[in-house]
Amino acid sequence: MTVRTTRTTAVAATAVALSVALAAPALAATPAEAGHDATRKAIEAAVDAGVPGVTATAQDGRSTWSATAGVGNLKSGKPRSAQDRYRVGSITKTFVATVLLQLEAEGRLSLDDTVEEWLPGLVQGNGHDGSRITLRQLLNHTSGIFNYTADEDFGRTYFLKDGFFEHRYDTKKPGELVALAMTHKPDFEPGTSWNYSNTNFVLAGMVIEKATGRPYGDAIRDRIIKPLHLTATSIPGTRVTVWQPSSRAYSKLAETATGPTYDVTKINPSIAYAAGEMISNSTDLNRFYTALLRGKLLPREQLTEMTTTEPVNEAIGYGLGLMKTELSCGVTVWGHGGGIHGSISEAVTTKDGSRSLAFNLNGDWSGDTGAVIEAEFCGKKPAKAGDRAGSDTKHRVDAGVRFAPPRIG
């Protein structure tokens, strides 16, 4: 479910998740219900592979199951909580796409409008041409616009140790992020291929602001967060902290998955903006994706648009800010993954919204998120530790979804 960058730059090459030994307390689960044993083992395996801690919540009809493993604080040994808030990275994209589709349903814009119509002169240079790119192509990553987080200088400045500790509190404006992307050539001609680009959703957030006359976060709060009572969900803007209850977030901030572990909890998330700045928890994410897939947030026409996918590989299709994944047992789940410094998250649900899972790892260098999803929906127990490389290749796509050092979006 999680997508990583295809670019083989020095920064992108650090996307190697290795098994790293970290001491952690035994798994705790509440309540102890049948049917989640494989998921418990997969969560515990992530901790064995080096992740400090994991929190997960599954919803099946009216039944809710939550479990935690490992620690939320390496210094104190405090365990993670099922109520933990965490940075959700590119899961933000589904919220943004939902708002744009709502605006389309209201007749305030069309997904066939061009970027140039809404943001004149912004997407120009080095072969980029906003008059040839539609809003739909932003949302399904067929625009060809360069991914600004793949810029090597940006990576060194914000995702490696020396740059991070000097610049972690910088405020970046969305126009600056787009301008950085424009210094590179497009990945391909609009509509001719698929490649994940965080720049697409920076632009999508700016279009929401142009269409509504307000910050894009206000639209998400008014249209999604408040109606669904997502009490743990927020758009932090430039706020550097995560409200309690929450755990610490950890990263290697290096080109390898070994070496010292750093606390990266505090960061100005404006470097992610509408591509990945939001904060939530597992309960809220399950509620959001369940409501979305059940048609509670979008009319049928717009939900059909959102779930019309572009093929990414044999198992994954990408719709409008929404991913479709066929698991090994034939079950299909919909949702998104994402990360930001020290935080890797996944949230998925079945098409009818009857079963959902959301979870978070508070370390960004290890852990097989695909194994957790397979365990919950297919009952598939994780491979032995010696067989794991710390990353799932079947359910991830090399396309840049992470905002996490070294994986971005």
Side-chain angles (χ1 to χ4, degrees):
M1 286 296 300
T2 300
V3 183
R4 296 173 297 165
T5 183
T6 52
R7 298 184 177 273
T8 56
T9 62
V11 174
T14 65
V16 179
L18 303 176
S19 296
V20 181
L22 287 177
L27 179 73
T30 310
E33 296 177 6
H36 300 283
D37 184 58
T39 312
R40 274 194 283 266
K41 285 181 169 57
I43 292 169
E44 192 168 28
V47 174
D48 290 343
V51 176
V54 184
T55 180
T57 295
Q59 186 79 30
D60 189 354
R62 294 186 177 181
S63 174
T64 300
W65 172 87
S66 295
T68 65
V71 298
N73 188 313
L74 288 173
K75 287 186 177 180
S76 70
K78 180 181 178 181
R80 296 213 63 177
S81 165
Q83 288 74 46
D84 268 358
R85 291 177 167 93
Y86 46 81
R87 301 187 190 278
V88 302
S90 282
I91 291 173
T92 303
K93 291 178 170 67
T94 312
F95 287 81
V96 170
T98 299
V99 170
L100 269 178
L101 284 160
Q102 289 176 341
L103 292 172
E104 181 189 57
E106 295 163 10
R108 300 174 69 174
L109 54 77
S110 167
L111 293 192
D112 295 321
D113 292 344
T114 67
V115 175
E116 180 68 15
E117 290 177 65
W118 283 98
L119 304 170
L122 192 61
V123 178
Q124 299 291 338
N126 282 313
H128 288 96
D129 183 354
S131 68
R132 300 175 56 224
I133 298 169
T134 67
L135 304 187
R136 189 185 312 276
Q137 290 169 337
L138 296 180
L139 299 185
N140 65 14
H141 296 295
T142 61
S143 71
I145 296 174
F146 181 84
N147 178 15
Y148 74 92
T149 59
D151 178 88
E152 290 197 45
D153 286 341
F154 188 92
R156 283 189 290 268
T157 301
Y158 293 103
F159 297 108
L160 298 183
K161 185 186 72 171
D162 292 342
F164 174 79
F165 286 114
E166 182 178 351
H167 296 283
R168 68 192 299 178
Y169 301 128
D170 288 1
T171 293
K172 300 296 287 185
K173 295 181 179 179
E176 295 178 83
L177 305 178
V178 176
L180 176 60
M182 295 303 104
T183 65
H184 296 266
K185 293 181 179 180
D187 294 322
F188 49 81
E189 289 292 307
T192 63
S193 188
W194 187 93
N195 192 45
Y196 196 97
S197 174
N198 289 304
T199 315
N200 288 327
F201 276 78
V202 171
L203 290 162
M206 297 176 77
V207 170
I208 290 173
E209 296 188 349
K210 191 70 174 291
T212 64
R214 305 171 64 198
Y216 89 94
D218 288 354
I220 291 177
R221 276 187 287 269
D222 292 345
R223 292 168 173 269
I224 300 175
I225 293 175
K226 290 180 181 178
L228 294 182
H229 305 289
L230 306 181
T231 56
T233 304
S234 62
I235 302 92
T238 59
R239 172 166 52 88
V240 303
T241 58
V242 179
W243 290 328
Q244 295 293 318
S246 61
S247 293
R248 309 304 295 179
Y250 297 98
S251 180
K252 297 298 182 180
L253 294 176
E255 295 185 19
T256 66
T258 58
T261 299
Y262 299 99
D263 187 321
V264 295
T265 308
K266 291 183 178 181
I267 183 175
N268 183 334
S270 64
I271 62 166
Y273 182 63
E277 72 167 287
M278 288 181 66
I279 293 168
S280 191
N281 73 0
S282 298
T283 298
D284 276 9
L285 292 178
N286 284 336
R287 186 178 300 162
F288 166 62
Y289 279 104
T290 297
L292 177 64
L293 270 296
R294 285 181 172 174
K296 303 297 185 183
L297 294 172
L298 294 173
R300 181 177 299 178
E301 178 181 349
Q302 275 67 40
L303 185 57
T304 298
E305 286 188 281
M306 184 178 237
T307 54
T308 300
T309 62
E310 295 289 327
V312 175
N313 63 23
E314 69 281 358
I316 296 177
Y318 200 98
L320 305 183
L322 188 69
M323 294 181 69
K324 171 187 177 182
T325 302
E326 184 175 341
L327 303 179
S328 63
C329 57
V331 172
T332 297
V333 293
W334 296 80
H336 215 290
I340 195 166
H341 301 72
S343 181
I344 300 300
S345 308
E346 299 280 351
V348 293
T349 187
T350 52
K351 184 69 176 291
D352 62 1
S354 64
R355 189 173 183 183
S356 57
L357 170 71
F359 61 97
N360 171 262
L361 285 57
N362 67 337
D364 58 38
W365 65 90
S366 188
D368 189 342
T369 57
V372 179
I373 296 169
E374 284 276 344
E376 177 61 25
F377 290 91
C378 298
K380 187 175 180 180
K381 294 183 180 179
K384 294 180 181 179
D387 297 331
R388 288 196 308 273
S391 63
D392 170 39
T393 56
K394 179 171 183 176
H395 303 296
R396 293 181 187 169
V397 184
D398 288 336
V401 73
R402 291 187 172 175
F403 274 98
R407 288 162 294 188
I408 300 177

